[in-house]
Each structure stands twice: as structure tokens, then as C-alpha cells.
Amino acid sequence: MTTLKLAVPSKGRLKEQNEDLFRRAGVPIEPLGGARGYLARIPALPDIEVRLLSASEIAAGVIAGDIHAGVSGEDLLREQAGDLERVAHLLVPLGFGRADLVVAAPIGWLDVETMADVDDVAARMEGATGRKLRVATKYVRSTRRFFTDEGVGHYRIVESAGATEGAPAAGVAELVVDITTTGATLQANGLKILNDGVILRSQAQLVGSLGAVWSPEALLALRSLLDAFARMAGKANETYDQFVQALNDTRP
Amino acid sequence: MILTPEAAAALARIARVSGVKAEPQTLVPAEVILELSGEAVRSRLCTFTDASGAEHCLRPDLTTPIAQMVAVGEFPIARYHGAGPVYRLPPRGSDDPVEHLQIGFEWFGNSGSPAEDAEAIAVALEAAQAGGVTGATVRFGDVAIYHALLGALPLSPQWRDRLRRAFSRRKGPRELLDGANRQTAMADVTRRFGGLGANEATQAVEAELIAIGVDPVARTAADIALRLREKATDPAPEVGVSMVLAGYLDISMPASESVAALEDFARETGVDLGAALEGFRERMALIAKLRPPFWSDAAFSAEAGRRFEYYDGFVFELAQPSEADRPIVSGGRYDGLITRLSAGAVIASGIGAAIRADRLGRRDAR
């Protein structure tokens, strides 16, 4: 019987890089039930049930406590959780899936370099036209939190479904908040990253759920998994104790 | 709608002097609320999207839908009172209900006055008392004095605007001033274009945009050039000015000493607070004459009203001392509200107060 539910990316580069990492840690993931299966196992850790899900589903599952642990992007985790530290604990930064969540403005706005400039321009725009500056993004909560922290008002979020970076050219927004690795796509769309516009430097994380039901057996399985990652890094496994501490802190 | 005896008593006190009962719609376009309060409040709003993509919002208070009716000319400029459910998503970790009953009044007129301020707070506090509240304390302030202070201090127009906007934000005036001294070196582009005359700067920006092959997205070259010129000559507030502002925001004291404290502040800093201080003095004398309940322990705070975007004058809250962030009554003056909602088409002064019916009653009964 398996006791720990672990979710890992089911497709693309993330899947490959994650499986490669688990192999290097000495805990390779093997698919179960044929090529189209959504279940897998780790022969070295038989108490772990591995599910293959999208990074977004993994973030949601960890936050809801439906799964004990998962591999997902920090950007997705923070966006979906609101206050991540209350519901989940980042265990191991995995070094792949790197992307920055950034605020980008039109290159033609020569006078805009900082978030403070954005607030000045937004206030002026609203004063002149009665309309607020529009910010296109899929990262609604992260945007709202960052803009509040940076003291920017006078803006409206336009939720984008597809290619966010095209929003200014399409005339549906002036600013963009999106993930980028090199900034090249933004630049190709006539956008520049603001000097203080990096919201988050994200990468894939092994994350533990604080809301899941943790049996002693599930904790033991997590400890073994973390031991494998610690061995690979040539360090002692301190992460496990920190997680148990976080778990105790959230229990009433 | 069935009111508790406490809520009915509070409403009766308000209704005596608050004109007709307004029954505004429950559902308002999300646009109206967002244009007024901004994205920062959106996480507290109950919004949903219809098939056409239009966003609707359950009213978060009674003020906005009543003000909206006045702004579009549906209701005349007059006094209104109301009672009805309003909807706000509780902050994380709070067990507040999403829906609660609000009782309140909105008085629109041709011009506000200290006498109207005094009458409004007296009515609001008497209503709370009629609703069974005991042991609560009043905290009040005056946003107009902050605005007068900004007007009197030697600040660049841009900094005056920034500090004005910052008052209602989490990153407030203090944080803004702290950051002002850590400003980085002037960017190349500001140095290149900022020193030019208006026409030359606009032409230079136009040429630059063509050279890089981009357009000014929703703005004009003239606007960009104007801001570059402003940035080139936009000195951060001097340390002395920052200290005066911080000193003002620190002012917090019993109501009975507040007039003298503000007069001392004006004298010591050499700042002329003009009509704003005069209005404050007159209002305090008039409130003292009305002797409303809870007023003898009232405290002035220069930072009162920071949580609200549209108050622009007298502001007040009544709360239990142990629950200062859960006000029973909150109210204030919002002379700019109708102008903003109507994009300048209707001009009206306004003052109002809202009472949370679920926080009425004796404290030990809850």
C-alpha cells in the first residue's frame, strides 16, 4: 500500500528535466500501466504513489492538500496560493524551469524605467482621460500584490488567456506582467522590463503540502525522498525537520 | 428585510434627519467600483462575469450605488438613508461573513460645512448608541489638513501629487519619503532630452521613436517629452520637508487637545494651514456643543482615514478599543466622489456614514 502521494510534471521539458533529476538522485521514476498512464512509481521508494499532472494542477493539488508533495513552478504556486507560506512549504529548489515574472512597459515610453514612473504615468493618464492604465496578465494575484507593495495605483488588470505579450500591440493593454527567460519575446513585442520590475525569480520546486493529511508513514516516505536529494547535493537532510516544524506551526 | 431591534433603533435615529430612503440596486457594474477604488480592493469584491464578458459586482457598500444614481442624474442631490445587505469577501484568516447588513446615510448638497460635519458625526454616534453600543471609542482625522499641508510645503508638483496619492495606500507617505533619498542616478535618456525646450524635446522623442522603430502606445511623443523634462527637474523633498510631513503624520492625541496641537504644529513649522485649520477649529467647537455620545474619549489621528480612497475631508470611526480594525461606524466627507463618478458632469458635496448592523448591540452580548 502506498502512503505518500507525489505529483510530477506530465509533459514537455519540465517532465524530462524532472525525470532526469530524480534519476540522478538515485530515485528514478518508472511509468505504470503503459505509455498513456497517469500513474508512475519509484522502485527505490515503494511507499510513494507518483501521479503525472500538469504543473498548474500540481500547484492546485498541493495547495488544496489533495496531494502530499509535488514538483511545480514557484510562480504558479505563489499565484494560486495567495499566501503560499500558510499552505505549502518549499522543500527543494530544483534548478530547472527557470523563469522571471516581470513587469514590462512599451519600449517607446522613454520616460518609464521604474514602478514609480508607472504610477506617475497612470495617474496622469487617468487625470487626462478618466481611464485607468491597463495591465495584461495571467498572474492576477501576483500582479495585484506587487503593485500594492510598490505603491502603484490607477491601473486595471485585463486577464489574458493567450499570448500576453501581444496585448499592447493589440491595443487591449498598455503594460504586461508575464514570465520570461531571456526577455527576447518581450523585446520582439516592443516591451522592456522595468528596472525594479522583477516580481519573482522562479524555478521548479519540490513542495510539500501543509494542508494534506500526513500519516507517520507518509512523513517517513517524504523523509526518504528528501534524503535522496540531500545525498545528491552532498549535504545533511535539514529540509525534513524544517518541514515538520512548518507542519506543527500550522496546526492549531 | 427584517431588522434586529438594535438595527431598527439605529436606522430610526438616522432616518429622522436623512431625507428619503434609498433602495439602490444590489448589483453594480464592477467597472464603477474599480474605477473608484482600484485593483487593490478587488480581492475583497464579489464579482462575476456574464456571457458577454461584462463584469458585475455585488455592492460592497451602500455609498457607491447611491452616489452612482446621483452621478447619473437618476437621484436628485439630496439627503438619503438606507439599510440593506452589502457584500465583501473577508480577508484571509477572518471569520467575518461575506454578507452583512449595513445602515447608513449619504448627504449630498451644494457645499459642505463644518456644521454639516458636526451634525453627521453626531447623528452617526447617536445611532450607534441607539443600537446598543457601549464602551466604544472614536478615532477621527481630517484629510483636508494633509492636503493643505502638501500645498503649503515647498514640493515639486510631481512630489505633491505622489504624496497625495500615497495617503490611502499601503506604501504610504512615510515609505515614499524614505525611498526618495535612495533614488538612483538620472537615466541617460532623461539627461539627453530633459534639458531641451518643449518643442525640441517632443521632436527629439519623435525622432528617437522612429529610430528604434516603436510607437508611443496610448500616449504621445509630447507627453513622453514633457515627463522627461519634468524628471530632469524633479528634486526629491528636502530632509527638512520630509521631517515636517512625518511630524504631522505622527500627531495623535485626545480630541480636546487636537486644535491646540495643530496650531502649535503650524506655528513651530511655519506652515500656513489656512482655511483647512480654520474649518477644523470651527468643526471641533460645533461637535463639542452637540455633545454626541462617545465623543468625550475621542482621539485625533493625522493618519485616520488612510484605509479609504475617496474621503477628502473629515473622517471618523467608532470601534471597540480591543478591535480597532473592526469599526462599528465609519464615515466621512467625500466632496470629490460625485465629480469622479460623473466625470465632472455633476458637482455635489457629500458626507456619509455606514454602520455595520452585525457589530451593534452590547459588547458582552456578542
Side-chain angles (χ1 to χ4, degrees):
Chain A
M1 202 190 101
T2 55
T3 53
L4 181 112
K5 290 181 186 128
L6 171 75
V8 298
S10 60
K11 56 190 180 212
R13 283 277 292 155
L14 275 182
K15 177 176 196 274
E16 286 167 27
Q17 288 173 308
N18 186 60
E19 289 181 349
D20 186 44
L21 187 76
F22 272 66
R23 198 175 306 119
R24 277 188 284 128
V27 286
I29 299 169
E30 281 182 5
L32 269 180
R36 63 164 198 91
Y38 295 103
L39 290 176
R41 62 186 191 120
I42 299 174
L45 301 168
D47 282 346
I48 296 180
E49 173 192 308
V50 182
R51 296 176 182 193
L52 301 168
L53 297 170
S54 76
S56 175
E57 289 167 334
I58 296 170
V62 169
I63 289 162
D66 296 336
I67 47 184
H68 291 99
V71 170
S72 189
E74 189 176 342
D75 56 336
L76 295 175
L77 287 160
R78 293 204 180 276
E79 172 63 21
Q80 292 190 22
D83 188 359
L84 183 63
E85 278 68 25
R86 292 171 68 109
V87 294
H89 186 81
L90 298 179
L91 297 164
V92 184
L94 301 178
F96 60 86
R98 287 188 192 275
D100 293 344
L101 185 62
V102 301
V103 184
I107 290 173
W109 290 10
L110 304 177
D111 55 325
V112 174
E113 305 155 81
T114 64
M115 292 298 287
D117 285 325
V118 169
D119 188 51
D120 282 356
V121 168
R124 182 180 301 224
M125 247 184 194
E126 190 183 12
T129 65
R131 310 292 304 178
K132 291 187 192 298
L133 183 84
R134 295 164 302 170
V135 183
T137 189
K138 296 185 192 93
Y139 294 83
V140 174
R141 290 168 117 174
S142 304
T143 299
R144 210 180 277 146
R145 198 178 320 128
F146 186 70
F147 276 46
T148 300
D149 289 347
E150 294 299 313
V152 175
H154 312 276
Y155 72 98
R156 287 279 311 277
I157 288 177
V158 180
E159 260 190 272
S160 81
T164 310
E165 67 277 358
V172 299
E174 286 80 40
L175 251 58
V176 158
V177 170
D178 205 2
I179 49 166
T180 178
T181 45
T182 62
T185 311
L186 290 173
Q187 200 173 359
N189 282 278
L191 297 165
K192 62 179 176 186
I193 301 170
L194 299 178
N195 292 348
D196 54 355
V198 178
I199 299 176
L200 175 70
R201 295 197 188 279
S202 177
Q203 60 174 303
Q205 293 267 358
L206 178 62
V207 60
S209 171
L210 297 175
V213 178
W214 285 90
S215 65
E217 293 78 14
L219 282 171
L220 210 60
L222 179 71
R223 178 177 217 153
S224 305
L225 178 63
L226 292 172
D227 278 341
F229 278 100
R231 261 197 312 278
M232 177 173 57
K235 291 192 292 200
N237 179 4
E238 290 166 2
T239 315
Y240 176 74
D241 288 339
Q242 289 162 3
F243 178 72
V244 171
Q245 184 64 49
L247 213 48
N248 288 334
D249 289 348
T250 53
R251 296 282 145 86
Chain B
M1 184 181 52
I2 298 168
L3 298 179
T4 62
E6 285 92 359
L11 182 62
R13 173 65 193 93
I14 286 170
R16 281 213 317 261
V17 291
S18 300
V20 293
K21 184 168 185 193
E23 292 186 357
Q25 55 205 27
T26 310
L27 215 52
V28 284
E31 185 97 342
V32 172
I33 308 281
L34 291 173
E35 291 293 336
L36 204 58
S37 304
E39 281 286 338
V41 302
R42 188 195 278 254
S43 58
R44 302 288 311 275
L45 298 177
C46 299
T47 57
F48 55 90
T49 308
D50 69 19
S52 72
E55 247 191 312
H56 307 272
C57 171
L58 291 172
R59 61 187 182 201
D61 56 32
L62 293 176
T63 306
T64 321
I66 294 175
Q68 174 69 7
M69 300 299 267
V70 173
V72 298
E74 198 89 10
F75 287 4
I77 292 171
R79 287 187 171 194
Y80 298 97
H81 66 279
V86 298
Y87 308 84
R88 280 177 202 214
L89 300 174
R92 192 184 283 271
S94 157
D95 55 2
D96 271 359
V98 174
E99 172 177 338
H100 66 264
L101 182 67
Q102 183 178 306
I103 296 162
F105 62 85
E106 322 295 334
W107 298 345
F108 299 103
N110 296 319
S111 69
S113 67
E116 192 185 43
D117 291 348
E119 186 188 0
I121 189 173
V123 168
L125 295 178
E126 284 167 23
Q129 187 184 46
V133 174
T134 57
T137 53
V138 176
R139 183 170 176 263
F140 72 101
D142 189 346
V143 186
I145 293 191
Y146 178 71
H147 292 165
L149 177 59
L150 292 181
L153 288 171
L155 292 161
S156 72
Q158 296 89 303
W159 268 98
R160 197 165 284 137
D161 281 351
R162 277 176 210 136
L163 288 163
R164 195 181 162 109
R165 303 198 294 265
F167 189 75
S168 59
R169 294 191 184 155
R170 194 191 305 157
K171 184 176 177 183
R174 293 172 198 273
E175 291 79 10
L176 198 60
L177 289 169
D178 284 348
N181 302 317
R182 288 197 302 271
Q183 278 194 327
T184 47
M186 195 186 291
D188 255 6
V189 62
T190 310
R191 205 172 308 114
R192 272 171 56 212
F193 301 124
L196 303 173
N199 288 337
E200 291 91 330
T202 301
Q203 283 161 14
V205 167
E206 277 168 355
E208 179 80 3
L209 295 184
I210 290 166
I212 23 184
V214 292
D215 63 47
V217 186
R219 296 175 65 201
T220 61
D223 179 42
I224 293 166
L226 176 64
R227 267 207 83 240
L228 286 167
R229 294 174 69 231
E230 285 177 1
K231 282 177 74 172
T233 56
D234 181 19
E238 286 172 24
V239 176
V241 172
S242 297
M243 282 172 64
V244 169
L245 263 170
Y248 171 71
L249 294 170
D250 282 340
I251 297 178
S252 172
M253 62 198 15
S256 55
E257 298 164 28
S258 59
V259 172
L262 289 172
E263 285 170 348
D264 287 352
F265 170 80
R267 192 175 332 102
E268 283 161 20
T269 57
V271 169
D272 181 9
L273 296 175
L277 182 55
E278 189 49 51
F280 185 88
R281 200 182 286 127
E282 198 183 333
R283 179 195 307 129
M284 292 301 285
L286 290 165
I287 298 174
K289 220 181 271 178
L290 292 174
R291 300 168 65 100
F294 309 106
W295 185 249
S296 56
D297 297 327
F300 171 82
S301 165
E303 293 200 280
R306 278 204 50 201
R307 294 193 300 128
F308 298 92
E309 181 124 343
Y310 50 69
Y311 288 143
D312 47 22
F314 182 43
V315 288
F316 55 90
E317 280 186 345
L318 178 74
Q320 295 295 346
S322 58
E323 298 181 323
D325 57 343
R326 290 163 55 88
I328 304 161
V329 179
S330 37
R333 179 161 289 288
Y334 44 77
D335 289 344
L337 182 64
I338 296 295
T339 311
R340 273 177 73 178
L341 282 173
S342 67
V346 181
I347 310 279
S349 64
I351 188 165
I355 298 178
R356 280 194 64 139
D358 58 338
R359 294 178 184 164
L360 285 175
R362 287 181 62 84
R363 185 170 160 61
D364 52 17
R366 283 191 290 132

